[in-house]
């Protein structure tokens, strides 16, 4: 994805929906991401069954910042 500003490591930390939504023709797919929280493995400590999407749209700090609109 040259020119997108994202590295492969960034994309690896995103959900499939958010990674596909980086393409201009698939921007609407981004809204279908449901990986907004870490899901721990039951009866374990510190092991994740599924990690949350690390996309900036799910980042609470980015959401709390005022926009320039």
């Amino acid at each position: 994805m040259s020119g997108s500003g994202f590295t492969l490591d960034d994309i690896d930390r995103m959900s499939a929906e958010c990674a596909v939504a980086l393409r201009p023709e698939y921007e609407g797919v981004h809204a279908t991401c449901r990986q907004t929280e870490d899901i721990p493995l039951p009866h374990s400590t510190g092991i994740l069954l599924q990690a949350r999407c690390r996309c900036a749209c799910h980042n609470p700090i980015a959401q709390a910042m005022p926009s320039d609109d």
Side-chain angles (χ1 to χ4, degrees):
M1 305 222 150
S2 67
S4 68
F6 291 96
T7 65
L8 289 177
D9 192 42
D10 294 334
I11 294 170
D12 283 343
R13 295 178 180 174
M14 292 181 184
S15 67
E17 294 85 358
C18 289
V20 169
L22 293 175
R23 296 176 159 260
E25 62 272 15
Y26 292 100
E27 291 157 338
V29 175
H30 188 75
T32 62
C33 179
R34 301 288 183 252
Q35 288 179 230
T36 57
E37 296 180 6
D38 287 334
I39 301 172
L41 186 65
H43 310 291
S44 68
T45 303
I47 300 173
L48 293 178
L49 183 61
Q50 182 174 358
R52 71 177 175 87
C53 178
R54 302 292 185 201
C55 183
C57 74
H58 305 304
N59 184 343
I61 295 170
Q63 291 176 357
M65 296 177 80
S67 63
D68 293 335
D69 293 6

